[in-house]
Amino acid sequence: VIHSAEELECVRKAGVLCQNAMEAMIARAKPGAKEYELRAAAAAAIMDGGGDIGQLREKELDRQTIERSARTFRRLCDTYSALFIVNDDPYLARACDAAGFDVFWLAEAYPWWRKHQMEARSSTVVSALMARETERLTIGWGIIAASTRHPVQVAMDARVVQEAAGPGRFILGFGTSKIFLNNTKTQTKKTLGPMRDAVTIARGVLGGERFEYDGDTWSADVPALAPDAHAPREVPPVYDAATAPKMQALAGEIGDGCLTPSITTPDFVRYTCENVAADIDIGCTIVSSIHATDRDAGRDGAREIAGMYLANKFQNIRGAADTLLELAEIGMDELAPVAEAMEQGGRLAAKAK
């Protein structure tokens, strides 16, 4: 059933692209032509016609042929600046870095998430492993707490990821992480000072020069890196996670980017840009869930993730998240049943609310 004029136009465009692909394969189909070459000809015709996503679904061919096809399509999509997606095969995605993403952000799974069937894990360790297994993806910490690890130690961990990833493939992200502060019973109202200290020290240490700093929360005295040391000197971009206006303003002052909280809305992005008041990246989280054939099943998956995020707002960052929820037209009285269901029955119970 066609629901709108826009959907009808998409169907028409898809028909034209399919016809272009068939004509390209017919033109390429000569004695000795390989199957993957025919596929590449069809894909090129689709891209020439305005296609912007390439998806490799082949599962029946031998492994060597599939990987050759994947690399061919990867290069083709790069030529057209198109997204390249590999289905259900992380090993193939690793082989050709074909996930179709520019940056992979890792958030630390703090002990709060144990209540939702997820073990607590450090993103600093996992990020180094991911960097070694990929070639193109930028790895981002999104985020680690600014007040629980000494920034010198953060710089040491960051250097490991830099070495594993190579130049230009790492972003360091700091945040307050009230979830972790609650778990460790180190709650504090001092958030701006630790953030400024953490960013300053991490950058200073990673720069490789002699560095001394005395801050309100963190201080450092670090010697220069010897000229013949086999180590990067690159200082990665540093992003600050910020929900409250003062922290967003600090991100604009000292950060290369500002990461907004989950359940970000267009109105909150505009609000953030006003507070940041600087030409830096603004990172946003959008909850999405896709099912191949069942729209309701896809929406159900999105509810499950949204329920966890909303419960987090209610339980861990009340106050700082007031404007976020207000701009999303969500009241605390609406969140209370979601948070209570999450406590009693986990994320599956919360999504029903």
Side-chain angles (χ1 to χ4, degrees), residues 119-271:
E119 178 58 296
R121 290 185 174 90
S122 168
S123 64
T124 56
V125 175
V126 176
S127 61
L129 297 174
M130 291 189 65
R132 288 295 299 270
E133 295 296 329
T134 56
E135 298 176 358
R136 297 162 47 89
L137 283 173
T138 296
I139 308 297
W141 288 350
I143 49 80
I144 64 171
S147 57
T148 56
R149 286 184 181 91
H150 196 288
V152 173
Q153 184 181 8
V154 171
M156 293 162 59
D157 292 341
R159 189 66 90 203
V160 173
V161 182
Q162 282 186 306
E163 290 176 329
R169 291 187 57 216
F170 173 62
I171 298 174
L172 198 163
F174 279 119
T176 300
S177 191
K178 289 191 176 181
I179 295 179
F180 195 49
L181 297 181
N182 292 339
N183 288 149
T184 57
K185 293 187 176 182
T186 54
Q187 298 93 333
T188 177
K189 294 183 178 179
K190 295 174 60 179
T191 57
L192 298 176
M195 179 67 77
R196 183 183 294 276
D197 292 348
V199 172
T200 303
I201 293 174
R203 278 193 179 128
V205 174
L206 289 168
E209 302 294 331
R210 171 83 172 85
F211 181 77
E212 186 174 1
Y213 176 85
D214 292 304
D216 294 333
T217 303
W218 301 114
S219 300
D221 185 359
V222 179
L225 185 63
D228 57 348
H230 295 287
R233 265 68 171 180
E234 179 184 10
V235 179
V238 181
Y239 284 38
D240 301 339
T243 304
K246 289 184 179 179
M247 186 63 80
Q248 291 182 341
L250 182 63
E253 177 189 344
I254 66 174
D256 298 300
C258 177
L259 299 176
T260 60
S262 51
I263 318 293
T264 303
T265 63
D267 283 342
F268 190 78
V269 173
R270 286 187 278 271
Y271 168 84

